[in-house]
Amino acid sequence: MLGINRKLANLEKSGSYIKVGLVGAGQMGRGMISQIESMKGMRVVITADLAIENVENAYNNAGIHSANIVVTDDMEKAQGALSRDQVVATKDSKLVTSLPEVDVVVDATGVPNMGAEIAWDTILNNKHIVMLNVEADVTVGPLLKKMADASGVIYTGSAGDEPGAIMELYDFADAMGFEVVALGKGKNNPLNLESNPDVTAEEAAKKGSSPKMLASFQDGTKTMVEMNCVANATGFAPDQPGMHGFEGKVADLPSIFIEKDKGGKLNGRQVVDFVNGVAPGVFAIIASDKEEVNAEMKYLKMGDGPNYVLYRPYHLTSLETPLSIAKAYFDKEPTIAPHYGLQGETVAVAKKDLAEGDYLDGIGGYSVYGKLLKADEAKEDKLLPIGLVDKNVKMTKAVKKGDIITYDDVEQTNESTIWKLRALQDKQ
């Protein structure tokens, strides 16, 4: 991300700025709007949310006076507001993706189907799209990336999200010629496969967060999806279904991420995983076969080898998203994207006994959690990607708690955009 500050400052000096469109004024969206208002050369000019008051509050909290916020779903009125240096609050996400003045769109909804629709519409309107929606990305990201490439626009995940932070470490090490042995993240909370919105309601209220979002952290789905994203971007894979979830501190990581026959805990190399005990950081395990490089690493107090750890002890979530916006706009490059297609698949596992006729309720709900497998294994057994699970998916067979749900176990009562895009992706 070197030099972005100077590029933004120069853009502002020229009398211009990057015009950002945002969909989703929840916790992530609110923080991003305020951060961008502190920056040079960039502004969130239009934000969509079903609750207009969320948008108005987000702009007010960022220091924008109510008189400069225009509430409208009308294209002409929105364009008029922007011409007067006002900002727009709308309920219509399609106004965000189609407004000609917008340069880059950010999806901060966290809803897989909504994310797929937003990305699709944005690319059709020849705009760059930044996804704060890893759930949508791991489900249909490969198709969306191909579509964006063909259209000459950028499809990217976000800096600050853990996959984006991991990708920065990977690119840094890979560019220098190190072997990257493993990539991973710390898990912030104990794994509770039975977590649901009832379990997280009190904590969510204190934090001002969504109970479903917190439940998806606790039941492990978010971790599975995030490392799925990293796998698709790098060609790496889980070392075993669900990954290992080792226990350890940063100093322990180089010795943990070695093959079992060499005294470590891995079955192979080029793996993605998570570790309890190093949250909230992300890491890359690297190695070199060069004597001089190893001597230098030892001199630099990076350890005795053969593995070394690169560790970043923070990720600033949506506060870093503006860096991905700028990278797409200036450099025409993604922060992280599924360069290798589907390498992993996060599949749906029954969180409780499910009966025939039951409807599923989506990520962070009461019915399912996610588990990361290698994509070819999931495809062979026709396992259901968790990004396809929503209230329109009905069980056609009973499935026991802890069992993975297959395509043959469900039916759609109303086909959604993400199902259509996934079907198209699977045909390629």
Side-chain angles (χ1 to χ4, degrees):
M1 299 296 182
L2 294 173
I4 283 178
N5 55 336
R6 288 178 285 278
K7 291 177 181 178
L8 287 168
N10 289 335
L11 184 64
E12 186 167 285
K13 284 179 184 178
S14 74
S16 186
Y17 56 91
I18 302 171
K19 297 174 181 64
V20 180
L22 170 66
V23 183
Q27 182 180 2
M28 296 293 104
R30 294 195 308 268
M32 194 191 82
I33 290 173
S34 282
Q35 190 66 47
I36 287 177
E37 276 298 300
S38 301
M39 296 172 63
K40 296 181 176 69
M42 187 183 299
R43 195 178 207 198
V44 181
V45 296
I46 181 170
T47 301
D49 196 284
L50 292 177
I52 285 294
E53 61 270 20
N54 289 347
V55 182
E56 293 176 308
N57 289 337
Y59 278 131
N60 289 155
N61 292 340
I64 299 174
H65 195 276
S66 296
N68 289 319
I69 304 170
V70 176
V71 178
T72 184
D73 294 337
D74 180 77
M75 174 72 75
E76 191 172 323
K77 290 181 180 178
Q79 290 182 296
L82 267 56
S83 71
R84 298 187 297 271
D85 287 328
Q86 295 174 306
V87 297
V88 175
T90 182
K91 290 185 177 182
D92 186 3
S93 65
K94 290 186 182 296
L95 181 59
V96 177
T97 59
S98 62
L99 192 63
E101 288 80 0
V102 169
D103 300 306
V104 184
V105 173
V106 178
D107 166 36
T109 64
V111 179
N113 185 60
M114 180 63 73
E117 290 181 355
I118 292 163
W120 180 263
D121 288 343
T122 300
I123 296 166
L124 286 177
N125 282 284
N126 290 306
K127 303 180 190 302
H128 307 306
I129 174 70
V130 179
M131 301 291 285
L132 263 169
N133 192 331
V134 187
E135 296 82 359
D137 175 72
V138 300
T139 309
V140 292
L143 175 68
L144 293 169
K145 181 184 182 300
K146 285 183 180 179
M147 182 182 171
D149 289 347
S151 300
V153 296
I154 300 303
Y155 170 88
T156 180
S158 175
D161 232 356
E162 284 166 303
I166 292 169
M167 196 68 187
E168 290 178 18
L169 294 178
Y170 172 84
D171 284 352
F172 173 76
D174 187 53
M176 288 194 294
F178 283 102
E179 178 193 2
V180 183
V181 176
L183 297 165
K185 57 161 284 185
K187 193 173 186 309
N188 292 304
N189 37 56
L191 184 65
N192 176 11
L193 298 178
E194 297 181 353
S195 185
N196 61 49
D198 291 340
V199 174
T200 62
E202 184 176 347
E203 182 181 353
K206 290 178 181 178
K207 292 182 175 180
S209 302
S210 159
K212 289 187 70 175
M213 182 180 73
L214 280 181
S216 74
F217 293 158
Q218 293 182 5
D219 69 17
T221 300
K222 193 71 172 180
T223 293
M224 299 292 159
V225 167
E226 287 172 338
M227 298 317 299
N228 192 161
C229 176
V230 174
N232 293 350
T234 61
F236 285 28
D239 197 43
Q240 66 178 30
M243 302 181 286
H244 291 285
F246 299 120
E247 299 278 345
K249 299 187 182 302
V250 175
D252 303 323
L253 299 182
S255 59
I256 290 174
F257 286 92
I258 296 177
E259 294 91 330
K260 291 176 181 176
D261 61 3
K262 297 177 182 176
K265 297 184 178 182
L266 293 184
N267 298 309
R269 295 167 91 83
Q270 295 193 331
V271 304
V272 294
D273 220 302
F274 68 99
V275 174
N276 297 288
V278 299
V282 299
F283 61 87
I285 306 299
I286 63 174
S288 174
D289 61 358
K290 301 293 189 296
E291 182 180 342
E292 291 291 349
V293 173
N294 283 292
E296 188 80 357
M297 293 292 275
K298 186 174 182 179
Y299 172 76
L300 294 168
K301 296 182 171 51
M302 292 296 292
D304 295 327
N307 285 355
Y308 311 94
V309 60
L310 301 178
Y311 177 66
R312 181 181 171 183
Y314 65 91
H315 64 99
L316 305 184
T317 59
S318 63
L319 303 183
E320 291 186 58
T321 301
L323 299 177
S324 292
I325 294 169
K327 186 176 176 68
Y329 180 88
F330 288 122
D331 302 333
K332 305 298 186 288
E333 291 183 358
T335 300
I336 183 169
H339 302 292
Y340 288 81
L342 283 185
Q343 294 295 306
E345 189 83 85
T346 303
V347 299
V349 183
K351 194 176 281 188
K352 60 181 182 179
D353 287 346
L354 297 170
E356 180 181 347
D358 284 349
Y359 282 85
L360 302 183
D361 60 354
I363 293 172
Y366 299 86
S367 58
V368 295
Y369 62 87
K371 186 174 186 178
L372 177 59
L373 277 65
K374 293 178 180 177
D376 56 356
E377 296 172 348
K379 182 178 180 180
E380 182 177 354
D381 292 334
K382 299 176 66 177
L383 306 182
L384 181 68
I386 197 163
L388 297 181
V389 174
D390 62 24
K391 63 182 181 180
N392 296 310
V393 178
K394 181 181 179 181
M395 300 298 299
T396 58
K397 299 177 183 177
V399 172
K400 292 290 185 182
K401 176 181 177 180
D403 287 349
I404 298 175
I405 299 170
T406 72
Y407 278 101
D408 292 337
D409 296 327
V410 300
E411 66 178 5
Q412 296 171 265
T413 57
N414 184 22
E415 189 178 38
S416 60
T417 297
I418 198 167
W419 274 81
K420 294 174 184 176
L421 295 184
R422 181 55 190 247
L424 182 60
Q425 178 175 284
D426 287 342
K427 290 178 182 177
Q428 296 187 346

